[in-house]
Amino acid sequence: MTSLILIAQFESRRHEVATLAFENYRFDQVVESCGGWESQTPGDERVRPVYLENADNPDGPTLRAHFVVRFYPGTVVIQDVYAHLEGDEIGAPGESPNTREELAHALLKIPSREDEQGVLHIEAPFLHFRAGTDCREIQRWIEAQHAPDKTAQPPAPAGENPVVFAVTLKVRLKLEIPPGADFTHIINELDYEFSDTTGEARITGTEILDYSGGRVG
């Protein structure tokens, strides 16, 4: 019974995503009406007929086109979406209806390989990313697409400073330092980076919080 419920929820979400993709799609012509979804079970494609206004003959019969949504196997994430009329593609997709969690889950299902540095790269195209793309790049893109809208955040009241969160990181370094050498300057010369989806975080300073060590070799 549980598996049947999960399958029903899965198909229901696919139906919802396909419908949102249809609503977001930018057709080149006026949509007069559309038919219901057609699909095969099991199957990863949904198709619906779309009836478009005939710009050359507005009083004549509508033009029958087809709207196609294809999902990545085993996911609710759209792999391809397009409309075609008499064999020619028309229009263009709109905003993706998938959530961050759905995109991340689908990425896990894409075949990947690990390079000599231990970095994963996809072995098949995913969304607009080519095969061979660093998985971290795709993950950053997913996060950026679903980052909070900064323009929707209310400004801080007049006379008040915005809240600032201070984060302390402890990093373990293995250094070989000659006797009598000053190692504190090394901290300021380290190359480091961090990821921030809000675009507002910044590094304000570095300092040595603790030091312990001894002779190496």
Side-chain angles (χ1 to χ4, degrees), residues 136-156:
R136 296 173 301 181
E137 177 183 342
I138 304 174
Q139 291 167 344
R140 286 192 292 266
W141 178 85
I142 292 175
E143 292 295 327
Q145 297 305 303
H146 296 83
D149 183 2
K150 291 181 290 184
T151 61
Q153 299 176 0

Side-chain angles (χ1 to χ4, degrees), residues 78-117:
I78 294 176
Q79 179 178 9
D80 197 11
V81 55
Y82 59 93
H84 62 86
L85 173 65
E86 297 178 350
D88 295 324
E89 287 194 21
I90 58 174
E95 182 179 353
S96 170
N98 288 116
T99 66
R100 174 174 53 192
E101 291 75 15
E102 290 169 347
L103 292 170
H105 178 261
L107 176 58
L108 294 176
K109 290 182 173 291
I110 302 299
S112 61
R113 59 174 177 80
E114 188 174 302
D115 63 17
E116 296 178 352
Q117 287 74 41

Side-chain angles (χ1 to χ4, degrees), residues 12-157:
S12 175
R13 177 55 181 162
R14 275 193 165 185
H15 178 85
E16 181 181 12
V17 169
T19 301
L20 289 172
F22 174 75
E23 294 173 353
N24 294 340
Y25 199 83
R26 298 186 294 271
F27 287 91
D28 294 332
Q29 295 155 268
V30 177
V31 176
E32 295 284 354
S33 62
C34 62
W37 290 104
E38 303 170 2
S39 61
Q40 293 182 347
T41 304
D44 299 308
E45 191 172 274
R46 290 177 181 264
V47 182
R48 78 185 317 175
V50 183
Y51 301 93
L52 306 172
E53 179 186 70
N54 189 339
D56 297 329
N57 185 14
D59 296 328
T62 56
L63 303 176
R64 180 185 173 97
H66 289 88
F67 182 76
V68 181
V69 176
R70 183 177 298 113
F71 295 94
Y72 285 99
T75 78
V76 297
V77 172
I78 294 176
Q79 179 178 9
D80 197 11
V81 55
Y82 59 93
H84 62 86
L85 173 65
E86 297 178 350
D88 295 324
E89 287 194 21
I90 58 174
E95 182 179 353
S96 170
N98 288 116
T99 66
R100 174 174 53 192
E101 291 75 15
E102 290 169 347
L103 292 170
H105 178 261
L107 176 58
L108 294 176
K109 290 182 173 291
I110 302 299
S112 61
R113 59 174 177 80
E114 188 174 302
D115 63 17
E116 296 178 352
Q117 287 74 41
V119 177
L120 290 176
H121 301 262
I122 56 174
E123 292 189 308
F126 179 65
L127 302 177
H128 58 280
F129 295 97
R130 297 180 178 180
T133 302
D134 187 330
C135 289
R136 296 173 301 181
E137 177 183 342
I138 304 174
Q139 291 167 344
R140 286 192 292 266
W141 178 85
I142 292 175
E143 292 295 327
Q145 297 305 303
H146 296 83
D149 183 2
K150 291 181 290 184
T151 61
Q153 299 176 0

